[in-house]
Amino acid sequence: MIKIITIFLIIAQPFLLINTRLPDFKGFAYILDHFLLQKWYEINPWMNGKNKANQSKSFKKLHRTFKQPNTYLSSILNPYYPIRNWTVKEPEITAVSAFISDTFGDKTLYKKNPNEVLPIASLTKLMTAVIVIENMNLNDIITISPELVNSYIDNNEFRLGEKISVGNLLYIMLIKSSNDAAITLAHSKNLPYQEFINLMNEKAKKLKMKNTYFTDPSGYDKNNISTVSDLYKLAKYILRKHPLIFKITSIKETLAYSEDKKISHYLNNTNKLLGKIPNILGGKTGYTDNARECMLLVVKKYDSELIFIILKSEDRFKEMKKLIDWTNAAYKF
């Protein structure tokens, strides 16, 4: 019976949408979802209480559970959400490429040259962070050697002989966007440098980032390339598998210490939108002469996340805010 009602509603939804006020329709979907689920439990009493954990695989697939306990029917009844207001014109931005997507249904809200391959500067460090978390112990201690110092780009981040944890290096890399921290992590004695780069590229392949390639862990090299559509896949993977990465990037300022606490590193986030845009879950900035200004930002929106990405912009903060404001005006959630 539930299957019949579901099929009917899927077919009828365009007509329901036309003849029903949208806010009421969305609310109606949630109420109906709850009602049908209760009926399902009445028909299948073995699923009540503790036995809910033993529900069938097919039933599990019907439920996309976020904060609301019942979201299957509401998700199929609302394929139009977010709903576009076509009276709001698309924004004009200098960024060569841009992308906005709602992670709940992978609905693209805006795109500009989504498959154009461009240098991504320090957005590279997001993949570096993934490899660190998946292959290293955050409590391990790394000693700053002469070889490390000689390979540094900034050449002023760490002192020779300083001992610092992988976890603190991760914070320094993600918050301050330290190139030296990225290089230190990639030169870990437990993971040879070239192997680290290989792991970055292998991960990109696994995530089906077909137009992405890494040559260094910091993004300083112009040959670190990707597309906004590929970077969306990486951002979504981080959200689901390694939320710590975005949690770190949401910290506005903090201190990181050497293992003996004698050396401190003041970290001021490169993301100037923190504290100015509500509900930011995290993100990353990037800049080189070739890549120009780049930015990836994740913003919480109800029970989903919006991922904003811009590459090769002349003013990443101004244009990112412009895209966020435009999304709020151009879509009904």
Side-chain angles (χ1 to χ4, degrees), residues 231-249:
L231 289 169
Y232 170 70
K233 296 174 184 177
L234 175 60
K236 191 173 180 183
Y237 177 78
I238 291 173
L239 273 172
R240 301 293 176 254
K241 298 295 184 179
H242 304 297
L244 173 64
I245 293 174
F246 282 136
K247 185 176 181 180
I248 293 172
T249 65

Side-chain angles (χ1 to χ4, degrees), residues 115-291:
N115 297 312
E116 182 160 350
V117 179
L118 295 167
I120 60 173
S122 285
L123 299 193
T124 296
K125 293 182 174 80
L126 291 173
M127 180 62 87
T128 301
V130 169
I131 301 306
V132 167
I133 289 178
E134 293 185 350
N135 296 275
M136 299 170 70
N137 187 327
L138 299 188
N139 294 318
D140 282 351
I141 305 300
I142 294 177
T143 301
I144 307 302
S145 65
E147 292 76 19
L148 277 172
V149 172
N150 291 334
S151 66
Y152 284 161
I153 297 170
D154 302 328
N155 212 28
N156 60 358
E157 189 69 63
F158 306 104
R159 298 183 193 177
L160 185 63
E162 178 180 351
K163 296 180 184 297
I164 189 166
S165 70
V166 170
N168 277 337
L169 285 167
L170 191 65
Y171 272 70
I172 295 170
M173 178 184 73
L174 290 173
I175 297 174
K176 191 178 180 179
S177 199
S178 167
N179 294 321
D180 292 352
I183 290 170
T184 302
L185 288 165
H187 276 96
S188 166
K189 61 182 178 181
N190 297 322
L191 200 62
Y193 182 80
Q194 191 54 53
E195 183 182 340
F196 191 99
I197 304 303
N198 291 342
L199 287 173
M200 293 174 71
N201 287 310
E202 287 171 12
K203 194 67 182 183
K205 288 181 181 178
K206 288 180 181 178
L207 296 178
K208 297 182 179 180
M209 299 170 67
K210 298 179 180 179
N211 295 304
T212 299
Y213 187 71
F214 299 105
T215 56
D216 83 83
S218 68
Y220 186 78
D221 191 325
K222 66 180 180 180
N223 293 314
N224 284 273
I225 55 173
S226 189
T227 65
V228 289
S229 54
D230 274 4
L231 289 169
Y232 170 70
K233 296 174 184 177
L234 175 60
K236 191 173 180 183
Y237 177 78
I238 291 173
L239 273 172
R240 301 293 176 254
K241 298 295 184 179
H242 304 297
L244 173 64
I245 293 174
F246 282 136
K247 185 176 181 180
I248 293 172
T249 65
S250 69
I251 299 171
K252 194 169 184 179
E253 60 179 351
T254 190
L255 288 170
Y257 293 92
S258 60
E259 184 64 13
D260 59 10
K261 308 296 181 184
K262 292 181 179 179
I263 303 172
S264 64
H265 300 269
Y266 172 67
L267 311 180
N268 187 25
N269 205 308
T270 56
N271 182 0
K272 294 180 180 179
L273 294 182
L274 287 174
K276 296 180 179 179
I277 300 294
N279 303 317
I280 290 178
L281 295 180
K284 189 72 194 72
T285 62
Y287 174 84
T288 64
D289 289 341
N290 284 293

Side-chain angles (χ1 to χ4, degrees), residues 1-7 36-37 39-40 43 73:
M1 182 63 182
I2 292 176
K3 288 183 179 179
I4 295 174
I5 295 174
T6 302
I7 294 170
L36 291 177
L37 189 60
K39 291 299 180 184
W40 181 283
I43 297 170
L73 284 176

Side-chain angles (χ1 to χ4, degrees), residues 97-99 123 228 231-232 295-296 307-311 320:
S97 183
F99 192 79
L123 299 193
V228 289
L231 289 169
Y232 170 70
M295 191 169 188
L296 184 152
I307 296 177
F308 299 81
I309 308 168
I310 55 176
L311 296 179
M320 183 60 76

